[in-house]
Amino acid sequence: MDHGTNSPSPDAVREVLQRILGAPDFNTSDRNRAFLKFVVEEALEGRGHRIKAYTIATTVFGRGPAFDPQLDSIVRIEAGRLRRALEHYYLTSGVNERVRITLPRGGYVPSFGFAALEEPLPAPLSSPPEPRAKAKICTILVAPFEEEGGPSPLPSFGRGLTRQVIAALTCFTDLWILSSESFSEQEGGTLSTAFLEKLGVDFVLTGGVSVTQDSFALEAMLLDARTRRYVWAEHFQRKFIPSDILELRDEMANTIASTLAQPYGIIFSNKATEMAGQPPEFLDSYGCVVRFYQYYRTFDRNDFQDVLAGLERAIRAEPSYGEAFACLSLMYSDGHRFRYDLPSPGVDLRERALQLAFRAVELAPHSSRAYHALGHAQWFSGDIAGALAALQVGHALNPNDTNLLADLGLRLANLGRWGEALPLLERAFARNPAKPSTYRVALAQYHYVHGRYEQALSEARKINAPTVIYGHLLIAAAAAQLGLRAEAAEGLRRVLAIDPHYGDRIVRDLVERHIHDETIRAVLEGLRKAGMTGREMNGRSATGIGAASDAGQTQIFPVALSQ
């Protein structure tokens, strides 16, 4: 095989192979370790043409000469597990490995390369004009939360709260967080408008705390540094219980950070208002990311190509802007899952989504959004375990990212893991009532599968995604179960307006999305009552049933998340 400058040397591959085989995070069986070692050595020795299912089965798995891969799927199944184990390794203890060993889908010959940062991305889909301005990541200056009132039983509480707020805000990696304590001495204790402008500060967060023997009060305010207008203020009051004070401090800090910094929060809304009416080609790179989150509320097909083109421009203008890579990866995943049209139809959407997501992780390894994009890309590439692992890593990096929290809940709901899914979804909506309504599809599924059709219909009606099938699908099914013929007919009409032949592919589509078999059966029953027809409305393939059921019942990476 070729070991030129674009490929690692055999010695480098063998070194990383030994680290992988000895790593606790390489979570696989002994025979799959033998599987990996065998195919790597065969490829390095130039015998890649011998790496077939038959050879692996008889050499590694102890099958006899009569082995028939058409009747015995052991190699295919174990190869899938091995791929997931490798991807998990590179997400965890192997995240800084430069040499990458992968097992491409559709075969068993390994591929050797370097980390995504070393590899050029495919050419952009088109070449519109570059943005007129460079990306300006939003900068927030956090002033100390002042101690107010009389003598406090906790005189340093305000300082500790300020530190926690800063720590929570820094988890949102598209923001730049400054502490006023770092600069106040230079300004004689005050921060003038001129000095804030010199620092490039967009917002100033201020506040005060009051702690007495029986009560706790906090007031926080956000000032627009340019207009000197307060854009947000909130007052919190709680009963003071000394034993709970650290938990209370963390709760307040997380609430402030979530309210301000998450998508659809105060800062996002302020930026979205500021850029309203600007032509897409005039947006800077940060504006393109904000525009992405506006699109992500409804997944409007009519906005898809403009948002995609803007993010393509953003990564060319700002090649180290990890958040833009993450958002662009999510767009390509959307192109695949919603069958949206692209300027270049020949692009492999899932492969490009994966590549962009891995680049986002390389550029912004502490970004929850990068891991969110990676989880999405892996989910729609068929790697359930890898997707859940990536989403868990993202949540650990930023517990206040409610979009990721809701998405993890949605994926678990699709798998029928209701006990894990519902708390995540409820927490996400409680922390961010402005969250996109599309996540309610998970709650609608839950009620529908359990026969609570009125609640299912209520949740489905709240989904605002007119150009996406799935809210209309659940309205049609739930309304039909309730005997609401007119509403069921309207829901079905909207489904078929988006895809007139959806009844011919509905099962394949839902299985590809890893929807649990019980959910698929139940939805099909309601859609038949609604009058839906098509080749896949009257039966299920055995393969589809098995794949969906296995996906729903297998828990390779248990979900254990912080509150």
Side-chain angles (χ1 to χ4, degrees):
M1 63 179 293
D2 177 20
H3 303 302
T5 57
N6 292 327
S7 300
S9 68
D11 287 344
V13 172
R14 289 188 173 102
E15 285 179 13
V16 76
L17 174 64
Q18 291 307 310
R19 286 196 291 273
I20 292 171
L21 295 176
D25 288 320
F26 186 51
N27 186 20
T28 194
S29 64
D30 289 341
R31 69 179 182 179
N32 274 349
R33 293 171 189 271
F35 183 176
L36 178 62
K37 186 173 182 180
F38 172 74
V39 296
V40 168
E41 289 296 340
E42 288 292 289
L44 292 176
E45 294 297 329
R47 297 190 291 268
H49 62 284
R50 296 185 61 241
I51 302 176
K52 309 290 185 184
Y54 181 87
T55 311
I56 296 167
T58 55
T59 305
V60 178
F61 297 129
R63 294 300 199 259
F67 172 78
D68 183 346
Q70 300 299 318
L71 301 177
D72 187 341
S73 58
I74 184 172
V75 179
R76 177 177 56 81
I77 292 171
E78 295 304 323
R81 291 173 177 166
L82 181 55
R83 288 186 191 100
R84 291 192 291 270
L86 279 169
E87 289 167 352
H88 182 63
Y89 169 77
Y90 282 118
L91 279 174
T92 52
S93 60
V95 69
N96 294 318
E97 290 279 11
R98 184 164 180 263
V99 174
R100 299 295 168 108
I101 300 173
T102 58
L103 201 62
R105 288 174 174 79
Y108 309 113
V109 180
S111 175
F112 311 127
F114 295 106
L117 190 58
E118 305 295 331
E119 302 167 358
L121 282 169
L125 295 181
S126 56
S127 300
E130 298 297 331
R132 298 300 177 93
K134 302 289 278 183
K136 183 179 185 298
I137 294 177
C138 187
T139 302
I140 304 175
L141 185 72
V142 181
F145 282 74
E146 299 174 354
E147 304 281 354
E148 299 176 341
S152 168
L154 294 171
S156 62
F157 183 83
R159 183 177 293 272
L161 176 62
T162 304
R163 287 197 299 268
Q164 285 301 115
V165 169
I166 291 171
L169 285 170
T170 57
C171 291
F172 293 92
T173 54
D174 56 346
L175 303 178
W176 191 257
I177 310 301
L178 303 175
S179 168
S180 68
E181 291 183 325
S182 303
F183 306 101
S184 58
E185 289 184 6
Q186 303 174 31
E187 292 294 297
T190 63
L191 294 169
S192 65
T193 300
F195 192 64
L196 292 175
E197 185 175 342
K198 179 181 176 182
L199 291 175
V201 171
D202 296 288
F203 298 98
V204 179
L205 177 62
T206 63
V209 295
S210 173
V211 183
T212 68
Q213 296 295 333
D214 56 4
S215 69
F216 163 87
L218 163 66
E219 186 175 69
M221 297 175 290
L222 189 70
L223 176 75
D224 185 318
R226 181 174 57 84
T227 65
R228 312 301 292 181
R229 178 175 64 90
Y230 283 99
V231 296
W232 170 81
E234 193 156 342
H235 182 80
F236 306 89
Q237 189 153 4
R238 300 284 191 279
K239 184 177 181 180
F240 175 57
I241 302 174
S243 60
D244 295 342
I245 194 61
L246 294 181
E247 182 179 337
L248 178 62
R249 180 198 67 187
D250 293 349
E251 177 195 341
M252 292 295 100
N254 289 335
T255 298
I256 291 170
S258 295
T259 301
L260 297 182
Q262 66 187 331
Y264 318 110
I266 299 300
I267 291 169
F268 168 89
S269 299
N270 193 80
K271 178 67 176 178
T273 300
E274 178 184 306
M275 56 181 253
Q278 291 186 40
E281 63 270 19
F282 282 82
L283 297 177
D284 63 17
S285 298
Y286 181 64
C288 291
V289 169
V290 173
R291 183 72 185 87
F292 161 81
Y293 281 107
Q294 291 177 306
Y295 151 84
Y296 218 66
R297 282 185 181 277
T298 62
F299 305 111
D300 193 331
R301 181 187 298 267
N302 300 313
D303 294 334
F304 178 78
Q305 290 200 19
D306 282 347
V307 175
L308 186 81
L311 290 168
E312 289 280 13
R313 293 198 305 275
I315 67 169
R316 288 201 305 277
E318 302 285 342
S320 62
Y321 190 12
E323 304 296 327
F325 278 85
C327 294
L328 187 55
S329 171
L330 288 164
M331 290 297 292
Y332 278 96
S333 290
D334 283 358
H336 166 72
R337 62 175 172 154
F338 299 140
R339 306 183 106 195
Y340 284 169
D341 295 330
L342 284 97
S344 299
V347 173
D348 185 331
L349 302 180
R350 288 181 291 184
E351 184 60 33
R352 184 160 172 81
L354 278 168
Q355 190 177 28
L356 288 161
F358 277 117
R359 176 64 66 86
V361 170
E362 292 281 352
L363 293 172
H366 301 295
S367 166
S368 61
R369 292 176 194 170
Y371 282 96
H372 187 178
L374 181 58
H376 245 239
Q378 289 175 315
W379 181 269
F380 291 104
S381 293
D383 184 359
I384 296 173
L388 296 181
L391 293 172
Q392 287 178 263
V393 171
H395 179 74
L397 288 170
N398 186 1
N400 294 314
D401 185 340
T402 56
N403 264 16
L404 186 147
L405 192 65
D407 212 310
L408 180 54
L410 173 59
R411 303 302 147 206
L412 292 167
N414 287 348
L415 297 173
R417 289 161 58 169
W418 305 113
E420 297 165 87
L422 288 176
L424 303 181
L425 292 162
E426 290 168 356
R427 200 183 319 155
F429 278 106
R431 290 185 180 180
N432 186 6
K435 176 155 298 308
S437 61
T438 49
Y439 290 114
R440 292 191 177 276
V441 71
L443 299 174
Q445 280 185 64
Y446 170 66
H447 290 300
Y448 184 91
V449 167
H450 291 85
R452 294 187 289 271
Y453 302 124
E454 289 184 359
Q455 293 95 319
L457 185 58
S458 174
E459 292 292 345
R461 286 169 175 164
K462 297 173 186 175
I463 299 169
N464 179 23
T467 65
V468 176
I469 280 177
Y470 306 99
H472 307 308
L473 201 72
L474 285 165
I475 285 176
Q481 296 284 16
L482 292 167
L484 302 174
R485 295 182 180 179
E487 188 168 7
E490 177 60 17
L492 186 57
R493 185 193 68 77
R494 295 189 180 193
V495 169
L496 298 178
I498 296 168
D499 184 347
H501 305 292
Y502 190 64
D504 293 337
R505 68 178 190 91
I506 181 171
V507 173
R508 282 169 293 157
D509 180 56
L510 297 180
V511 168
E512 183 181 322
R513 292 167 185 278
H514 315 299
I515 307 297
H516 193 274
D517 187 60
E518 180 185 2
T519 305
I520 297 176
R521 281 199 174 101
V523 170
L524 289 177
E525 177 189 334
L527 292 174
R528 289 189 195 104
K529 292 182 180 180
M532 191 172 194
T533 60
R535 286 193 299 272
E536 294 193 357
M537 286 301 300
N538 297 315
R540 296 286 312 277
S541 70
T543 302
I545 290 174
S549 297
D550 289 345
Q553 295 170 3
T554 301
Q555 184 168 330
I556 299 174
F557 295 100
V559 177
L561 303 175
S562 62
Q563 297 297 314

